[in-house]
Each structure stands twice: as C-alpha cells, then as structure tokens.
Amino acid sequence: MEDGPVTATIKCVHSYGDSEIEVEIRLQSGIPEIFFKLDANWEEVGNPEIGVPVLKANFPVNVENPIHCQDIPFGTIRRNMDGKDIPVQKWADVRDSESGRGMTVANDTTYGYAGEDNEISLTLLRSSYEPDPYPEIGRRIIKYSLYPHGRNWTPTLSTKLSAELN
C-alpha cells in the first residue's frame, strides 16, 4: 500500500464467516511502535447453539517471568492472568519481572483484553447474544498498536501512548 522513506504500510484482507476484515499495518521510521487499523464489516451473530463469535489480536511476547499490568478507571492494576477476557480501559502490558522488557498493546475503542503466561490479546469484536442479540453488527473501525519497551517502562508511558493513539 505504501512504501516510502518514512512510512511503510501493508493491508491484509480476510474473510471470517459472513464478515469481511481489512487490517492495515503501519511502520514509521524512528518509531518503535507498530500501528494497526482494523476496518471490519462484522456480520457474525452469536446464539446458544454456536456460542459467541469473537475476533481477537493475539501477541506472544518473549518474556520468561511475565507480569501483566492494565489500565483501569483512575489507575492501573497488576493481575494474575488466566486467559479469560477482563475489562481494561485503553492499554494492557506484559513485561518480564527480571529484565523489565515487554510489550504494551493500546487501542482506541474496545475494552476486552486477555493474557496468559507470555501472551497478550486484545478482543476486537465479540458477538454475544444476550441481552442484545446483535451487539457488534456492521462496520467497525478500531485502531490499536504494539509498543515494545525496555526496563524503563512505566504505566505513565503506556497511558501517554494510548492518548496519542486516540
């Protein structure tokens, strides 16, 4: 899509069930962050027989002793993660407890994150069927980013990154 001296962008097009999904992935020179823009025509409908259709972005992170930290209203929290979705405001982070190296995932729209061991995932779209049988139907645009960091990471850095994304 774009291949210049400052920015490189590719577009991936996918089908999932009745849905069409486009993801733009952008790199910028001198910025370690990877930017994503999901543009989806989401047509998946959940029900008790098939369950809840979900679209997630999952990222393995090269850490051995993970610490998970998330943005919540009025602060941040460290949690032991078990792979289940939890509510999070604008970002979630996983880092190594010894080296401090890790990865922040920030987004502008959605509030579901999951993590387990050295993985972190962002729930992009979820078609639950109760109480609203059509909660996510239609066109959705979601921006999110990955930011690798070293030992100098702080929750303030992730809050700043998510504010810039929004």
Side-chain angles (χ1 to χ4, degrees), residues 7 18 59 64 68 83-84 121 150:
T7 302
D18 294 328
F59 305 100
E64 292 183 22
H68 290 265
K84 296 178 184 168
S121 67

Side-chain angles (χ1 to χ4, degrees), residues 48 50 59-60 76 80 82 84 109 119 129 143-144 156:
I50 66 164
F59 305 100
T76 60
N80 294 324
D82 61 3
K84 296 178 184 168
T109 307
E119 291 190 356
Y129 48 87
K143 293 186 294 184
Y144 57 102
T156 304

Side-chain angles (χ1 to χ4, degrees), residues 11 14 42 44 58 64 71 74 80 87 111-112 121 142-143 157 166:
K11 183 188 288 189
H14 304 279
W42 187 251
E44 305 312 303
N58 188 50
E64 292 183 22
D71 178 38
F74 310 108
N80 294 324
Y111 301 101
S121 67
I142 301 170
K143 293 186 294 184
L157 172 64
N166 289 293

Side-chain angles (χ1 to χ4, degrees), residues 22 24 63 81 92 103 116 129 150 164:
E22 293 182 0
E24 290 181 13
V63 297
M81 302 297 288
M103 179 87 64
E116 189 169 25
Y129 48 87
E164 291 170 354

Side-chain angles (χ1 to χ4, degrees), residues 93-105:
D93 183 85
V94 61
R95 68 185 186 280
D96 189 87
S97 64
E98 294 175 19
S99 71
R101 290 187 321 265
M103 179 87 64
T104 294
V105 179

Side-chain angles (χ1 to χ4, degrees), residues 11-163:
K11 183 188 288 189
C12 303
V13 179
H14 304 279
S15 294
Y16 175 80
D18 294 328
S19 302
E20 294 295 322
I21 301 162
E22 293 182 0
V23 180
E24 290 181 13
I25 305 167
R26 187 179 79 232
L27 301 172
Q28 291 182 280
S29 178
I31 298 175
E33 200 167 4
I34 303 169
F35 299 93
F36 298 83
K37 180 182 172 188
L38 173 86
D39 187 345
N41 183 20
W42 187 251
E43 298 296 331
E44 305 312 303
V45 178
N47 63 51
E49 291 78 39
I50 66 164
V52 177
V54 176
L55 180 64
K56 290 187 173 205
N58 188 50
F59 305 100
V61 183
N62 188 15
V63 297
E64 292 183 22
N65 303 300
I67 297 174
H68 290 265
C69 183
Q70 297 91 22
D71 178 38
I72 59 171
F74 310 108
T76 60
I77 190 169
R78 283 175 52 175
R79 293 181 172 130
N80 294 324
M81 302 297 288
D82 61 3
K84 296 178 184 168
D85 266 18
I86 57 168
V88 174
Q89 289 287 312
K90 297 293 181 189
W91 59 264
D93 183 85
V94 61
R95 68 185 186 280
D96 189 87
S97 64
E98 294 175 19
S99 71
R101 290 187 321 265
M103 179 87 64
T104 294
V105 179
N107 86 92
D108 72 339
T109 307
T110 187
Y111 301 101
Y113 284 84
E116 189 169 25
D117 299 327
N118 66 331
E119 291 190 356
I120 189 168
S121 67
L122 171 63
T123 301
L124 298 164
L125 296 165
R126 184 175 183 274
S127 290
S128 59
Y129 48 87
E130 289 181 353
D132 181 357
Y134 307 106
E136 303 268 13
I137 297 299
R139 186 169 184 218
R140 298 282 184 248
I141 296 175
I142 301 170
K143 293 186 294 184
Y144 57 102
S145 69
L146 291 178
Y147 184 84
H149 60 75
R151 71 177 67 248
N152 294 328
W153 176 86
T154 65
T156 304
L157 172 64
S158 293
T159 299
K160 179 180 180 288
L161 293 168
S162 68

